[in-house]
Amino acid sequence: MSALNIKQGSTSHSAYNLRASYTETSERHTLAVIVVNAPGVLARVIGLFAGRGYNIESLTVAEIDHAGHRSRITIVTSGTPQVIEQIKAQLGRIVAVHEVHDLTVEGRAVERELGLFKVEGTGEQRIESLRLAEIFRARVVDSTLNSFIYEMTGTPDKLDAFAELMRPLGLSNIARTGVAALLRGPGAASK
Amino acid sequence: MAREMTGAQMVVQALKDQGVDVVFGYPGGAVLPIYDEIFQQNDIRHILVRHEQAAVHMAEGYARSTGKVGVVIVTSGPGATNAVTGLTDALMDSIPVLVLSGQVPTFMIGSDGFQEADTVGITRPCTKENWLVRDTDQLAPTIHEAFHVATTGRPGPVLIDIPKDVQFATGLYQEREAHRSSYSRPTAPDPDAIEALVDLIEQAERPVFYTGGGIINSGPEASAALRDLVQATNFPVTSSLLGLGAYPASDRHWLGMLGMHGLYEANMAMHDCDLMINIGARFDDRITGRIDAFSPGSRKVHVDIDPSSINKVIHVDIGIIADAGLALKAIMAAWTRRGRRTKAEAVVAWWRQIDEWRAVNCLAYRQSTTTIKPQYALQRLEALTKDRDRYITTEVGQHQMWAAQFLHFEEPNRLMTSGGLGTMGYGFPSSIGVQIAHPDALVINIAGEASFLMNMQELGTVSQFHLPVKQFILNNERLGMVRQWQELLHGSRYSQSWSEALPDFVMLAETFGLKGIRCSDPAELDDAIMEMLDHPGGVVFDCLVERHENCFPMIPSGKPHNEMLLGDASTEGAIKADGAVMV
């Protein structure tokens, strides 16, 4: 129908902005949600994910503007494109949410996560873990005669890879922060 | 200049400044300071309820019939938890309601104090927004913000939890005019999307308007704009349950309600249309039936003020995030500027097809001379009340669907019914709220006997406030809709779906000082209804109806619109096992 010869993305409120055909393939998206820093706001965001059955792969939250009472929640989630669109729309409905950004589609984002890895062992294993840590640019932040804690910053994949290598070398504990992410290049401060 | 006052005084002052003249509530320990202030003034009338759930439903009835915010005061703990059903109902149907709940003093929060509950935690999923106020200075701004949030964008319920020490403490009152909110939502439609929609309007051969509660929430101007557009385009119009009244039922463009128990012509038009223009409805599962067979040949346009409604259930070709009234006016303006073109001949042919569907006469039922058929009772009620200043509320079940089919609504805000949540027990208290808002109007709650029992304690409220509200109970001594589904889906095994040990409703009314009327003879029905209408006070009308009547038409679960069951059709085997999974 000729009436539908509307160029894609011609309006900001139109469904034409959505990809033409939804697939059933699950996608991983990193969302940045700028919220009012007030009690209960995080609970409302998490409750939305729990109540509507959406996934949370990781979540970080911290105040980013003390004077403006703003916090940034970074959520890594997954779902079909339709579910991702719903998640963003549902987040946008929340009264205390100022902005929702999908860093996966808005541009290229830097994604970083910090992990602490406790590796216990002695002798050759201990030395091997130290060598690998150097390759991964992990720092030793605690050491005893039979353990190290390594600190490493990187993409979630890099942290996964490091954990995998450390496992046979005595990995006993991991603490990870979840992803923090910003769009590359100049742009709105909130992105 | 800011005035110093106690938190409790601020509550009353802020409500006055917001134009509130009535609140529905129930006192208790954690709201005593507020009730002390209510005692010492006469500007705000307090309606004492018998149960907090009913208070919220009254506020909903008040809000739906006036367009204003309904206000409720409850105490902490059980007072607040009893309000949860009403809050959820208001959230599902987008009704602006403010609940003020008492809370234990701030220094006791978290200690499992007497009548302590995590009210903001419990009500977070069933409010649009809620707040716990820990500082008296924040109380007035929070109340002003609550009114703003409840009525801005998609309306909804809000709650403010107020610890008792915050009510006692003094602080500075912030005037309503001084309040600045950061919450706003876009309401004007995108002009490009409107132009795209007008393209479709100009080319449509089988168009239909599918409207919903968003038009009523937008205000009377939206209903007027809908009437203008429908009549100018000559397009047919149908509506969800919550949208009834936005378009006058007496007009020839009106197809009747659509959906599971909607009219044949409305559902067939939805199924066979080539352009569906949804304005302020949300593709509820009662409307769509089987999603993958829903209106397969149509371009779909969805106007909604809530971005999350678009593409939530049905993927549409054009989504327009806007207030329904503004969108309707923008469509009219753009279409008029471009010369008001439609494919008029094709639309006339479409009407011929619709008239054939109308000829099916889908609401036909077998009349009886010995038993009152529920449909007949409503037809007579309609005939005897249609010229009055009339407001209808309903409970939930068969009677609700029959009311939607057989009562005709000419104006918005005239039907109050629990659509999304389907709350049995909603209608009676809601009718009280409507009567409070419109003291001289005729307010009738269409009820089933089982729904009525769920909040019948409010007979005390009717009696105390001398309300002339009428309870029209279609008494089939059954949970009629449950019974119907058990007959159709569960091999006629009527598990727990009959009303055993019913009260004598006439005596029940009389014991509360109200009038009771019973009627079981179709020949006496008109006189009995007139007796109800002529009585100046509250009436409980016990209309004993056919016990095994089924509500038709019906789209069985898991079926598309063009596979409706009609009254005389065989229902056996109509619903497959996979359909039984849906409710």
Side-chain angles (χ1 to χ4, degrees):
Chain A
M1 195 187 281
S2 65
L4 287 172
N5 291 335
I6 304 160
K7 77 174 187 290
Q8 298 250 333
S10 64
T11 72
S12 58
H13 294 323
S14 165
Y16 286 100
N17 280 342
L18 305 175
R19 267 147 297 175
S21 59
Y22 282 134
T23 59
E24 288 304 303
T25 324
S26 184
E27 298 176 354
R28 189 168 164 279
H29 284 239
T30 304
L31 308 179
V33 189
I34 311 301
V35 301
V36 179
N37 183 19
V41 175
L42 181 62
R44 202 171 264 279
V45 169
I46 293 171
L48 168 69
F49 279 75
R52 293 186 186 263
Y54 305 141
N55 297 319
I56 298 179
E57 293 189 1
S58 87
L59 182 143
T60 68
V61 55
E63 187 178 66
I64 54 167
D65 177 2
H66 183 69
H69 305 290
R70 290 193 175 210
S71 291
R72 182 184 182 103
I73 303 175
T74 308
I75 305 171
V76 180
T77 185
S78 60
T80 62
Q82 187 164 11
V83 167
I84 299 287
E85 291 303 322
Q86 260 300 299
I87 291 172
K88 288 188 276 185
Q90 294 288 352
L91 285 168
R93 275 177 93 185
I94 296 175
V95 174
V97 168
H98 286 302
E99 299 165 37
V100 180
H101 297 287
D102 185 342
L103 303 183
T104 306
V105 300
E106 285 182 21
R108 287 166 56 241
V110 178
E111 296 195 1
R112 287 294 179 270
E113 184 176 5
L114 185 142
L116 297 173
F117 304 81
K118 184 179 285 182
V119 180
E120 300 182 38
T122 53
E124 190 51 39
Q125 278 201 342
R126 181 173 159 83
I127 294 162
E128 180 61 17
S129 82
L130 203 56
R131 258 189 229 123
L132 284 168
E134 205 170 303
I135 294 167
F136 273 80
R137 298 196 186 130
R139 290 200 305 138
V140 176
V141 291
D142 176 70
S143 84
T144 67
L145 290 175
N146 50 10
S147 74
F148 288 121
I149 295 176
Y150 298 110
E151 173 202 302
M152 194 174 79
T153 305
T155 63
D157 285 350
K158 185 179 171 191
L159 269 62
D160 287 345
F162 184 67
E164 220 33 61
L165 285 172
M166 289 295 138
R167 208 167 299 273
L169 301 176
L171 180 69
S172 65
N173 255 310
I174 304 178
R176 293 172 66 156
T177 59
V179 170
L182 284 178
L183 280 186
R184 293 174 189 270
S190 59
K191 295 188 187 180
Chain B
M1 185 171 145
R3 289 175 281 170
E4 195 170 77
M5 59 178 81
T6 67
Q9 287 169 331
M10 284 181 188
V11 169
V12 173
Q13 187 61 48
L15 294 180
K16 283 182 192 171
D17 287 355
Q18 291 287 343
V20 175
D21 50 17
V22 60
V23 298
F24 305 91
Y26 201 95
V31 282
L32 282 173
I34 295 172
Y35 271 84
D36 202 25
E37 291 303 322
I38 286 173
F39 186 84
Q40 298 176 54
Q41 56 83 49
N42 287 314
D43 295 332
I44 297 175
R45 189 178 177 207
H46 182 274
I47 304 299
L48 178 67
V49 301
R50 271 46 176 179
H51 187 286
E52 290 90 347
Q53 182 195 349
V56 186
H57 294 325
M58 285 180 205
E60 286 186 272
Y62 179 91
R64 285 179 186 211
S65 66
T66 61
K68 291 157 66 177
V69 177
V71 182
V72 174
I73 302 176
V74 298
T75 193
S76 63
T81 57
N82 278 345
V84 164
T85 300
L87 286 168
T88 312
D89 191 273
L91 186 73
M92 289 287 270
D93 286 350
S94 308
I95 311 301
V97 166
L98 167 62
V99 172
L100 300 165
S101 57
Q103 182 56 279
V104 300
T106 49
F107 54 83
M108 281 182 67
I109 289 177
S111 70
D112 295 330
F114 177 65
Q115 292 193 331
E116 182 185 355
D118 175 13
T119 300
V120 288
I122 290 168
T123 59
R124 195 170 285 126
C126 60
T127 52
K128 184 175 173 184
E129 180 63 297
N130 61 6
W131 301 265
L132 170 66
V133 179
R134 291 174 173 273
D135 174 2
T136 304
D137 281 340
Q138 286 304 310
L139 191 48
T142 305
I143 295 173
H144 297 317
E145 177 75 2
F147 276 90
H148 174 71
V149 169
T151 52
T152 300
R154 183 176 179 173
V158 293
L159 177 143
I160 306 176
D161 204 25
I162 312 173
K164 196 173 182 180
D165 55 336
V166 172
Q167 299 170 35
F168 274 127
T170 53
L172 292 178
Y173 179 76
Q174 191 204 58
E175 305 291 338
R176 178 185 179 182
E177 293 72 27
H179 181 66
R180 296 284 172 272
S181 175
S182 63
Y183 178 69
S184 68
R185 287 294 181 264
T187 55
D190 177 25
D192 290 354
I194 295 290
E195 294 293 327
L197 167 54
V198 173
D199 281 348
L200 296 178
I201 288 174
E202 288 172 349
Q203 293 175 36
E205 299 187 348
R206 300 185 308 280
V208 65
F209 283 106
Y210 153 41
T211 64
I215 295 183
I216 292 173
N217 275 340
S218 177
E221 282 190 22
S223 292
L226 174 67
R227 289 158 197 229
D228 291 346
L229 187 60
V230 167
Q231 279 158 23
T233 54
N234 193 33
F235 287 1
V237 54
T238 178
S239 153
S240 67
L241 178 65
L242 292 192
L244 295 181
Y247 197 84
S250 57
D251 186 81
R252 67 181 180 87
H253 295 94
W254 174 243
L255 302 182
M257 181 179 76
L258 81 163
M260 183 174 271
H261 293 289
L263 271 67
Y264 183 72
E265 47 268 43
N267 284 327
M268 290 302 286
M270 287 286 280
H271 188 268
D272 282 7
C273 67
D274 70 349
L275 172 62
M276 178 187 298
I277 306 171
N278 172 348
I279 300 178
R282 59 182 178 86
F283 293 111
D284 180 83
D285 60 78
R286 302 290 98 161
I287 299 301
T288 58
R290 203 174 106 202
I291 298 279
D292 60 3
F294 176 69
S295 192
S298 63
R299 299 290 178 193
K300 299 176 186 70
V301 181
H302 189 180
V303 177
D304 203 297
I305 202 163
D306 179 357
S308 76
S309 286
I310 291 169
N311 293 321
K312 180 171 72 178
V313 179
I314 297 292
H315 193 201
V316 295
D317 299 284
I318 303 177
I320 301 174
I321 297 159
D323 169 77
L326 294 179
L328 282 161
K329 285 180 197 161
I331 296 165
M332 185 63 139
W335 180 64
T336 300
R337 179 172 44 69
R338 289 166 52 159
R340 291 199 170 200
R341 289 195 302 273
T342 61
K343 287 201 167 174
E345 278 181 32
V347 173
V348 169
W350 175 229
W351 272 111
R352 276 199 296 274
Q353 169 66 67
I354 290 171
D355 287 339
E356 281 177 32
W357 290 327
R358 274 179 169 162
V360 168
N361 197 15
C362 67
L363 296 182
Y365 60 93
R366 286 209 190 88
Q367 184 56 286
S368 162
T369 53
T370 53
T371 318
I372 299 176
K373 290 288 185 135
Q375 300 96 321
Y376 179 69
L378 289 168
Q379 279 180 323
R380 294 318 303 157
L381 188 72
E382 168 68 15
L384 296 170
T385 62
K386 65 180 178 185
D387 296 328
R388 302 196 183 209
D389 179 20
R390 182 189 77 179
Y391 293 83
I392 298 290
T393 68
T394 81
E395 303 285 350
V396 170
Q398 283 182 322
H399 65 274
Q400 178 188 31
M401 294 295 100
W402 280 317
Q405 293 170 344
F406 288 94
L407 302 183
H408 297 152
F409 299 94
E410 300 293 313
E411 300 292 333
N413 306 99
R414 295 285 174 156
L415 170 65
M416 278 48 68
T417 188
S418 173
L421 195 63
T423 310
M424 290 173 70
Y426 165 86
F428 180 23
S430 178
S431 69
I432 295 173
V434 176
Q435 189 78 74
I436 296 285
H438 308 276
D440 299 322
L442 171 64
V443 182
I444 307 173
N445 174 36
I446 312 297
E449 82 289 344
S451 284
F452 184 76
L453 291 181
M454 282 206 178
N455 265 319
M456 67 174 176
Q457 76 284 346
E458 300 306 320
L459 285 167
T461 310
V462 173
S463 184
Q464 179 182 346
F465 293 94
H466 306 291
L467 302 172
V469 63
K470 318 298 184 197
Q471 304 305 309
F472 194 70
I473 302 174
L474 296 174
N475 184 351
N476 59 1
E477 300 173 15
R478 301 287 183 278
L479 278 68
M481 194 60 95
V482 172
R483 192 210 62 80
Q484 175 170 344
W485 280 60
Q486 288 174 335
E487 179 186 331
L488 297 175
L489 284 158
H490 297 276
S492 298
R493 291 180 294 279
Y494 298 122
S495 180
Q496 306 298 317
S497 60
W498 67 94
S499 298
E500 194 79 47
L502 283 171
D504 179 324
F505 285 106
V506 173
M507 286 173 66
L508 181 67
E510 286 168 356
T511 196
F512 280 95
L514 306 172
K515 184 176 181 64
I517 300 173
R518 179 174 297 117
C519 185
S520 58
D521 182 350
E524 294 171 3
L525 183 60
D526 276 24
D527 286 347
I529 290 175
M530 287 312 297
E531 188 186 354
M532 172 179 85
L533 299 177
D534 290 342
H535 183 70
V539 176
V540 177
F541 190 115
D542 184 16
C543 189
L544 296 167
V545 297
E546 164 62 44
R547 292 168 178 174
H548 301 113
E549 193 73 11
N550 281 337
C551 182
F552 291 115
M554 177 180 183
I555 302 175
S557 283
K559 291 281 191 183
H561 279 182
N562 60 348
E563 293 182 35
M564 291 194 88
L565 300 181
L566 295 170
D568 283 324
S570 165
T571 55
E572 202 171 317
I575 302 176
K576 290 194 183 131
D578 56 347
V581 176
M582 297 179 73
V583 290

